[in-house]
Amino acid sequence: MTRTILDVHILQTVPPSNLNRDDTGTPKSAYYGGVRRARVSSQAWKRATRKAFNDLLPPEELGVRTKKVAEALAERIVARDSSLQGVAVQLATEILKAATGIKIEVPKRKEKKGEEATSTAAPESSYLMFLSRRQLDALAALAIEGSGPNGEVKALIDHLKGKENKAKARQAVDARHSVDIALFGRMVADSADLNVEAATQVAHALSVHKSDIESDYYTAVDDRSSDDESGAGMIGTIDFNSATLYRYAAVDVDELQRNLGLGLREGESPSTPTEKAVGAFLEAFITSLPTGKINTFGNHTLPSAVIVKLRDRWPVSFVGAFEEPVPQGSGGGYLRESCRKLVAFVTDLEQKYGIETAPDHSWVFRVGDETKELAPLGTTVSLTSLVRDVSAAVAQRLTSGATA
């Protein structure tokens, strides 16, 4: 069966930074090829990508992942009917229970000594719940309808006892997924049939070379200290590293289209939602950056090279090009030699497996003289052209019936 798989490969140089730290505050790392590498977890970069969607897509195309899902739904209910302000949270709680089977209750918080126990906190789900804004709106409409003309919680509970009404609530949660849910998936532990299979796989970013962790010893001076007062107001250390990272992600376009569904608006092509999602993901994943200790290091960088390939069989990572750590170049740096190793590895790998991609299905975006070696790997384009051309190629594949 022919598939539509989008592979995204990125080389990005990051100066001293602590993008993603472990429980001790140390930058995450991993051993690969027998040496310690800098590592940024896939979860950290997926989070950064999701945040970047806020600047690229309208709110109705995105989801909300929160334990405070009852509050989020209550806001939708009140927006539709302000007279339900007093019971909105209760209505939201009941319909969420019916729709997802999830446990929702006021979290137990230990009261400080001398304080009276309060019950003003809103109920929360037992784990993070991921719902699209369209799904929240659909649930809000059903809650208002089921609570009757007087907005009674008991009326909604009785309403949801009907199998047909409960089925409608579940259907509201299982339709019209947002772009981020369609891409990264969703798990509903209490109702496995509501799970959404992720269309995107994101690898842990790894440095192409050995990377050591260093420590910065810092002091802070008390502004009100006089000149004859010695010592610092505060001292501490921050761990950091620097690296040229190889980043990789694969998008199963067929799964993405199944998650999003076909075009919903009049005159819209069936592939339009998927085409828009692919374009948004490309730009967000390429330009996003985890914000760990960003104020301390100001490590705002953008990728030096991006390679995108549209495949029809399986996703392929090129991390094997860097199993042997890249040596430092004669003039310093790792980027130039990384590009050379990548070209040699990709060319040999694709030829041996017979998976070469056509020129119109392989694109290269690069910055600087150090990346000129990458030119043979695809059509050289600007970032804007990359996003546009890849999205158009995906749409063409989908509409031509190339996918099952």
Side-chain angles (χ1 to χ4, degrees), residues 108-386:
K108 296 178 181 178
R109 294 189 174 93
K110 191 174 181 180
E111 303 295 336
K112 294 181 180 179
K113 189 175 181 180
E115 289 186 357
E116 293 184 6
T118 60
S119 58
T120 57
E124 297 180 4
S125 56
S126 52
Y127 50 85
L128 292 171
M129 191 69 199
F130 204 178
L131 294 174
S132 75
R133 286 170 170 81
R134 290 196 180 105
Q135 290 166 350
L136 288 171
D137 284 336
L139 286 174
L142 291 174
I144 293 172
E145 176 187 344
S147 63
N150 298 319
E152 296 176 358
V153 176
K154 187 178 183 306
L156 177 60
I157 293 173
D158 292 339
H159 178 77
L160 292 172
K161 288 179 181 177
K163 290 184 178 180
E164 184 178 338
N165 297 327
K166 186 175 182 178
K168 283 183 180 180
R170 292 182 69 82
Q171 179 60 28
V173 174
D174 201 27
R176 306 192 74 182
H177 298 304
S178 59
V179 169
D180 42 3
I181 291 177
L183 282 166
F184 299 123
R186 178 181 72 190
M187 185 190 77
V188 183
D190 297 287
S191 298
D193 58 313
L194 297 178
N195 290 349
V196 178
E197 187 71 24
T200 302
Q201 298 174 348
V202 178
H204 290 237
L206 285 177
S207 65
V208 300
H209 53 83
K210 179 182 178 183
S211 178
D212 294 320
I213 294 175
E214 303 178 71
S215 293
D216 174 38
Y217 172 82
Y218 67 88
T219 64
V221 178
D222 190 323
D223 288 345
R224 291 184 62 82
S225 293
S226 59
D227 294 339
D228 59 354
E229 290 183 86
S230 61
M234 181 179 68
I235 59 174
T237 59
I238 298 177
D239 290 337
F240 66 92
N241 58 13
S242 58
T244 296
L245 300 170
Y246 170 73
R247 300 167 49 203
Y248 170 72
V251 181
D252 184 333
V253 179
D254 306 311
E255 187 69 39
L256 178 61
Q257 186 173 46
R258 284 191 287 271
N259 288 346
L260 287 173
L262 303 181
L264 299 173
R265 298 181 180 86
E266 185 178 350
E268 187 175 73
S269 167
S271 66
T272 297
T274 306
E275 182 181 359
K276 289 180 179 179
V278 165
F281 173 76
L282 279 174
E283 186 168 350
F285 183 64
I286 291 169
T287 61
S288 63
L289 190 71
T291 55
K293 293 291 183 181
I294 196 76
N295 291 335
T296 299
F297 293 100
N299 48 271
H300 300 278
T301 66
L302 291 168
S304 299
V306 180
I307 303 165
V308 178
K309 288 181 173 283
L310 188 59
R311 301 191 180 279
D312 58 11
R313 292 188 68 184
W314 53 64
V316 181
S317 168
F318 297 150
V319 71
F322 311 112
E323 193 269 342
E324 181 179 318
V326 174
Q328 189 179 54
S330 58
Y334 298 96
L335 183 58
R336 190 185 301 273
E337 188 60 30
S338 296
C339 293
R340 289 173 180 161
K341 291 193 69 169
L342 192 57
V343 170
F345 179 85
V346 173
T347 302
D348 189 43
L349 180 77
E350 292 189 335
Q351 286 178 352
K352 295 291 175 58
Y353 279 94
I355 55 172
E356 299 96 329
T357 51
D360 60 342
H361 282 170
S362 187
W363 300 264
V364 175
F365 165 68
R366 61 183 185 82
V367 178
D369 183 63
E370 298 91 340
T371 62
K372 63 182 181 181
E373 299 280 350
L374 296 176
L377 294 184
T379 304
T380 302
V381 292
S382 66
L383 179 59
T384 301
S385 297
L386 175 72

Side-chain angles (χ1 to χ4, degrees), residues 374-404:
L374 296 176
L377 294 184
T379 304
T380 302
V381 292
S382 66
L383 179 59
T384 301
S385 297
L386 175 72
V387 173
R388 182 193 63 225
D389 295 350
V390 173
S391 300
V394 164
Q396 184 178 19
R397 283 285 297 274
L398 294 176
T399 55
S400 65
T403 56

